[in-house]
Amino acid sequence: MIRRNFAAGLAALVGAATFTAVARADVPVGAIEILSGPAAAYGIAIRSGLELALEQINQKGVLGGQKIALTVEDSAGNKDQAINAARKLIGRDKVVTIIGPTLSNEMFAVGPVTNERKIPTVGTSTTANGITEIGPYIFRTSLPESDVVPVTLKKAQSRGVKTIALMYANDDAFSKSGFDVMKAAAEKLGLKIVDIESFGSKDTDFSAQLTKIKGLKPDAIGISALVEPVSGVVLQAHQLGIGKETLLIGGNGSNSPKLGEIAGAAADGLIVGSPWFIGKADPANQKFVAAFKAKYGKDPDQFAAQAYDCMFIVAAAIDRAGAADPEKITAALAKTSYTGVMGPASFTAGRDPASAEGVVVLEMRGGKFVVAP
C-alpha cells in the first residue's frame, strides 16, 4: 500500500526577519480495491497496474512537479467495507479523486456516497449497466458488458452456435447485469435460448443445473459470474461429460488468468470478449507488458492494463484542472483524451468510455488466453 506523506511548511522567525520554506504538497488520490477474499485476483491486478503507472507519472509529476500520493484501501468485496473505505479516504485522507471500487455491486454502494460528496470517482472494472447513472461525479474507463458481450456472441454464432443455455450468479449486480446483456444479445442474434439457470456466487455445486443443461444438448453455454464460480461451473461441466462440442462463453468476470489456474484444461476452448490482449503489437502495450513483468515477475491481465491507463487518465485530468480541486478535476475528466495500452480513451457525455473499438474475442488454451480463431 502506498501511503500519503504530508509535506509541511516550515516557518522560523529569526529576529526581525522571517524565513519560510514550503515543500510542494502531494496530490492525494485514493483507490478502493478487493485485496483479500475470493475476488482478490481482480483488485491485486488493478493495484499493480495503478502503482506501475504511478511510478512513471511521478518521475515528471503533475501540476508543475507535484507527486500523486496513492492510498489503496481493501474492500474485501464487501459493500459496507467499501463504503467505509470511501469515507476514510474522503474524511481522513482528503483525496481529490477515487479510483474504483473493483466490482459493480460495490460501485452501486459507494457511488452515491462519493457523488454526494462531489468527489470524482473512476471505475476501472465496473461493467454493469447503470454505473454512470449514479450521478455526475461517477465515471468509468471500462467498457460496459453491453459493448463487449455482443461481439463475443457474434463470434460464437460464426462458429455455428444456434442454441444456447445461460447460467448466472443471481446475487450480485455485475453478474445479473451481464446475464441481462447476454440474454438480450442472444435474442437479437436469433439464438435459441433453451434454458436459463441461476446460482449463488458462493455456491460450489452446479451439478443439478448442468445435468439439466446437458440433457438439452445446447451448442453453447453462456456464464455470467465472477471467476471463482465460473471456474467451478467449467470444472463440473467437464466432470459431467459436457465436451468441447459445447462452446463455453464467459462474460467479463472470466477475463482473469485465475480461470486457467483453477479450472486447468477444463477451461480450454472457453471464449470471452476483451478490450485488451497481452499480445497486442502496439509499442506502448509491449512496453507496458515488459515493465509489468519486470516489476511483478508475471504477465499483466486486462484488469491491470485498464488500471494502468486509468492512472494516466486521472493524472492528465489533474494537470488539465490546474489544481488539486475535485470540482475542477471532475470537469477536466469529462474533456480528457488519452491514448494508452487500451487504445484511444475519452468519455461520452454520460461519462462512459467513448469508443468500443478494439474489442477482441479471446480463447483459453493451456491456461492462457489467445486470440480466438
Side-chain angles (χ1 to χ4, degrees):
M1 183 180 293
I2 300 174
R3 288 290 182 185
R4 182 161 58 107
N5 295 317
F6 286 97
L10 174 63
L13 183 63
V14 182
T18 301
F19 170 76
T20 305
V22 181
R24 285 187 179 275
D26 290 337
V27 178
V29 171
I32 305 169
E33 306 298 347
I34 301 175
L35 304 178
S36 60
Y42 301 118
I44 291 171
I46 291 168
R47 181 182 63 180
S48 298
L50 294 175
E51 291 179 351
L52 178 61
L54 193 63
E55 286 182 1
Q56 299 168 13
I57 290 165
N58 279 344
Q59 289 176 9
K60 179 181 178 182
V62 295
L63 301 175
Q66 292 175 256
K67 296 183 183 300
I68 292 175
L70 181 68
T71 301
V72 184
E73 292 288 338
D74 180 15
S75 70
N78 180 282
K79 290 187 286 187
D80 290 335
Q81 190 165 323
I83 291 171
N84 288 335
R87 288 173 174 158
K88 282 195 290 184
L89 289 170
I90 296 169
R92 177 195 67 192
D93 298 300
K94 311 299 181 186
V95 298
V96 295
T97 305
I98 290 176
I99 297 171
T102 305
L103 300 180
S104 295
N105 57 329
E106 294 178 297
M107 182 66 95
F108 284 123
V110 168
V113 175
T114 59
N115 188 73
E116 182 181 5
R117 297 293 295 272
K118 299 183 178 180
I119 299 295
T121 304
V122 188
T124 71
S125 55
T126 46
T127 58
N129 290 333
I131 289 293
T132 53
E133 294 171 14
I134 293 170
Y137 295 88
I138 309 301
F139 296 74
R140 63 174 159 190
T141 59
S142 50
L143 287 177
E145 292 271 65
S146 56
D147 283 344
V148 179
V149 168
V151 178
T152 314
L153 290 187
K154 284 180 183 177
K155 171 64 74 173
Q157 189 177 52
S158 74
R159 291 185 174 186
V161 168
K162 296 179 181 178
T163 60
I164 187 170
L166 300 178
M167 299 181 68
Y168 72 101
N170 59 9
D171 56 355
D172 78 84
F174 158 76
S175 300
K176 177 59 168 62
S177 178
F179 158 72
D180 290 339
V181 170
M182 200 173 283
K183 180 175 182 290
E187 291 171 343
K188 187 174 182 179
L189 288 170
L191 303 180
K192 182 180 179 181
I193 300 173
V194 299
D195 189 30
I196 295 174
E197 299 289 336
S198 64
F199 52 85
S201 57
K202 295 183 180 180
D203 288 355
T204 56
D205 184 2
F206 312 95
S207 56
Q209 297 96 320
L210 287 167
T211 298
K212 181 180 178 183
I213 289 171
K214 181 182 178 182
L216 296 170
K217 298 181 179 180
D219 298 327
I221 301 174
I223 313 162
S224 179
L226 297 175
V227 67
E228 291 271 354
V230 169
S231 299
V233 169
V234 168
L235 278 168
Q236 288 192 9
H238 179 72
Q239 292 164 0
L240 289 169
I242 297 176
K244 300 305 180 184
E245 70 278 0
T246 303
L247 181 64
L248 300 179
I249 303 169
N252 194 51
S254 301
N255 271 327
S256 171
K258 196 170 182 181
L259 175 65
E261 294 171 10
I262 298 174
D268 282 357
L270 179 143
I271 65 171
V272 61
S274 175
W276 177 83
F277 175 54
I278 192 171
K280 185 179 174 183
D282 176 68
N285 183 60
Q286 292 306 306
K287 184 177 179 181
F288 157 68
V289 171
F292 192 96
K293 291 175 72 172
K295 182 173 176 63
Y296 300 108
K298 60 182 179 180
D299 288 335
D301 63 12
Q302 170 199 322
F303 299 94
Q306 289 176 162
Y308 180 80
D309 273 3
C310 184
M311 192 74 252
F312 279 99
I313 290 168
V314 168
I318 292 170
D319 259 341
R320 179 187 289 271
D325 177 271
E327 286 282 4
K328 292 181 178 179
I329 293 170
T330 301
L333 270 170
K335 299 177 181 178
T336 296
S337 296
Y338 173 76
T339 299
V341 300
M342 306 290 293
S346 59
F347 295 103
T348 66
R351 302 171 307 286
D352 279 319
S355 174
E357 293 180 9
V359 174
V360 61
V361 179
L362 305 178
E363 181 177 314
M364 179 65 76
R365 290 186 194 169
K368 294 185 177 182
F369 285 113
V370 298
V371 175

